[in-house]
Amino acid sequence: MSGRTKVSSTGVGTLSKGLLVAAHMNSKDDYIGLVDVNAFYVSAERVFDPSLIDRPVVVLSNNDGCCVSLSNEAKELGIPMGYPWFKLAASAERMGLVARSSNYELYGDMSARVMGILSRMTAWTEVYSIDEAFIGLRGTLAQVRTAGENIKREIWRLTGLPVCVGIAKTKTLAKLANQAAKKVPELAGVCVWDRVPEATREGLLEQLPVGEVWGIGRRMVKRLNARGIMSIKDFRDADEFRIREKFSIVQMRTLLELRGIPCIPMEQEREMKDQLLFSRSFSEPITDRERMEQVMAIYAQRAATRLHKQHAEAKVVTAWAMTSSFNEEQSHQPSATVSLSSYTSDPVVLTKAAKHLLSKIIPGTRYAKAGITVTELRPVGSQQMLDDFASEQESKQLGALLEQVRSEHGSSAIGLGRGGLREGPAWQMRREMMSPRYTTHWDELLTVHAK
């Protein structure tokens, strides 16, 4: 702590009341871990297709656009994250490069399996993203190291996915420990920050640029650099009150976390989200109202399905469309917002509301993306609906019926109006190199042939 202002837990709590977790509230045996699946999308593909192991593999974004997940072998070829696939396609075979379209159904299911394992093995689990989760651990340094090794081993045994585990006293340090676990082979994928010799930790923080800190973005890096704060160590050793004054309480919390003072509490999952969004980019532009009507019908029904799964209903529907940011000649972003007569998750009502957008569509304009946002959500049944306001479909549980059919026979088995066409429309997201959805569709289960 030498060379910087020493802050008591009481002073910190007073300065940022309601935002910081005082250090004395955490037991000396309590630790926070960050579990992260290595190259998650690629790793999930390799679980079911071993021929991809040790080969350069990339997984592509929507419409097979850019590389969003790369194997180490692909990185060694010099392919950067986000690189457009069309620039690689012609030379892929020569490089031995394999591409896969994003298989969101598979990745979502594999993620759920990982999070389920973590919830069984830890004191608490906070899902941070599809491939990351913070976890709570308790014990001595040796015990939490063993716990991290057991977690890594068990996830590999049950899912075939490789993970790294970073363990520290705060979330920010756990993130740094996770990075070390990935980059230092001697750690074998598990890094307990406080077990690393202090001289090694200090040298690492002095070498790493401040942009490597969780939550410090590029704009913030420029502002910090302008004040002579170049490394993580520079940032940690800065005056915390000056950081709060010149930047914000968020950056001050990050600084204190780097000193080992827990300031970012566990985020409790909210019972109800503020809004629900369903949107997609088109594989080819839509230029007429008829096809846009089909888009609205499909998207509204999928939004209704999500509401049904969350046991929620909405009061406001906003439908929107937009041209590509590169289409400067036809820039257009129409939208229509409808306040419904009552809260609902009825797919018929939502579809009718979404179609208010159609009158604002300009025929001939090349729309590249559209979506539906439903807001003012509440749990189903939180207030008894008067019979005069209930739709006929709602009284017959049409939404629940459609969801039951889709769950048993696939998402394209049934639909309403133009959203019920059996064959997928040409504008749907292009996924030409998608692997089977091995774990979520009966007709795509993996087939194993005995020799």
Side-chain angles (χ1 to χ4, degrees), residues 19-298:
L19 292 176
L20 304 183
V21 177
H24 70 270
M25 293 179 64
N26 291 73
S27 165
K28 64 184 178 122
D29 293 331
D30 287 338
Y31 289 88
I32 296 173
L34 178 71
V35 180
D36 181 20
V37 183
N38 302 336
F40 177 49
Y41 291 178
V42 169
S43 296
E45 297 285 350
R46 284 175 165 174
V47 170
F48 299 95
D49 187 355
S51 69
L52 299 178
I53 296 174
D54 296 329
R55 297 177 64 185
V57 181
V58 296
V59 174
L60 307 177
S61 62
N62 291 348
N63 296 316
D64 294 342
C66 303
C67 302
V68 294
S69 183
L70 299 89
S71 67
N72 288 332
E73 296 80 6
K75 294 176 183 177
E76 290 171 1
L77 292 176
I79 301 172
M81 183 69 74
Y83 199 72
W85 171 246
F86 76 88
K87 293 185 178 182
L88 293 169
S91 55
E93 185 175 354
R94 175 180 56 79
M95 294 189 295
L97 180 65
V98 180
R100 289 285 184 267
S101 301
S102 294
N103 190 337
Y104 298 116
E105 295 91 336
L106 176 64
Y107 309 150
D109 184 67
M110 295 297 285
S111 172
R113 297 180 186 213
V114 171
M115 303 310 167
I117 295 169
L118 291 178
S119 67
R120 296 194 298 270
M121 298 184 69
T122 61
W124 52 261
T125 301
E126 179 190 329
V127 178
Y128 180 65
S129 68
I130 192 171
D131 61 344
E132 291 179 276
F134 288 106
I135 58 174
L137 298 172
R138 173 168 288 185
T140 64
L141 290 176
Q143 288 171 334
V144 295
R145 165 75 193 191
T146 299
E149 293 171 340
N150 290 339
I151 287 169
K152 177 179 172 64
R153 188 182 309 111
E154 191 70 356
I155 291 176
W156 174 261
R157 184 180 73 86
L158 294 177
T159 69
L161 294 171
V163 303
C164 284
V165 185
I167 302 171
K169 279 295 185 179
T170 70
K171 287 184 174 181
T172 303
L173 287 176
K175 274 274 192 179
L176 280 177
N178 187 274
Q179 292 180 39
K182 289 179 182 293
K183 296 176 181 178
V184 182
E186 291 78 8
L187 293 173
V190 179
C191 175
V192 180
W193 187 253
D194 288 350
R195 280 173 61 97
V196 178
E198 184 177 2
T200 303
R201 296 199 308 263
E202 291 296 299
L204 181 64
L205 295 181
E206 194 167 8
Q207 293 175 22
L208 289 175
V210 68
E212 292 291 318
V213 176
W214 177 44
I216 301 293
R218 285 182 293 181
R219 290 183 180 179
M220 184 58 60
V221 167
K222 291 181 180 179
R223 294 178 63 192
L224 290 169
N225 289 169
R227 294 182 174 276
I229 299 175
M230 312 301 290
S231 69
I232 296 179
K233 186 175 185 298
D234 292 336
F235 181 66
R236 183 202 64 188
D237 293 345
D239 183 279
E240 64 276 6
F241 297 100
R242 183 62 59 86
I243 291 295
R244 181 179 186 247
E245 177 187 350
K246 297 298 181 182
F247 299 98
S248 75
I249 190 67
V250 174
Q251 279 69 47
M252 179 183 171
R253 287 194 307 177
T254 300
L255 180 152
L256 294 172
E257 287 248 324
L258 288 171
R259 296 181 184 176
I261 302 173
C263 302
I264 304 177
M266 177 180 176
E267 293 185 7
Q268 300 295 331
E269 184 178 353
R270 288 180 294 176
E271 292 184 5
M272 187 62 56
K273 296 181 180 179
D274 297 328
Q275 65 179 21
L276 186 151
L277 169 68
F278 191 96
S279 70
R280 293 287 186 274
S281 297
F282 306 137
S283 60
E284 61 181 46
I286 285 182
T287 59
D288 58 84
R289 290 174 180 168
E290 182 176 333
R291 287 202 297 169
M292 188 61 75
E293 181 181 1
Q294 184 185 35
V295 172
M296 291 296 104
I298 292 175

Side-chain angles (χ1 to χ4, degrees), residues 388-404:
D388 290 342
F389 292 98
S391 67
E392 182 180 353
Q393 304 84 234
E394 220 150 20
S395 62
K396 296 180 179 179
Q397 297 294 304
L398 179 57
L401 176 60
L402 292 175
E403 173 59 21
Q404 181 182 352

Side-chain angles (χ1 to χ4, degrees), residues 282-295 321-324 327 330 332 334 358 360-370 426-427:
F282 306 137
S283 60
E284 61 181 46
I286 285 182
T287 59
D288 58 84
R289 290 174 180 168
E290 182 176 333
R291 287 202 297 169
M292 188 61 75
E293 181 181 1
Q294 184 185 35
V295 172
M322 61 186 296
T323 54
S324 169
N327 185 359
Q330 294 184 320
H332 192 217
L358 300 179
K360 300 184 179 183
I361 295 298
I362 302 175
T365 301
R366 296 168 61 84
Y367 296 100
K369 187 176 183 178
W427 50 261

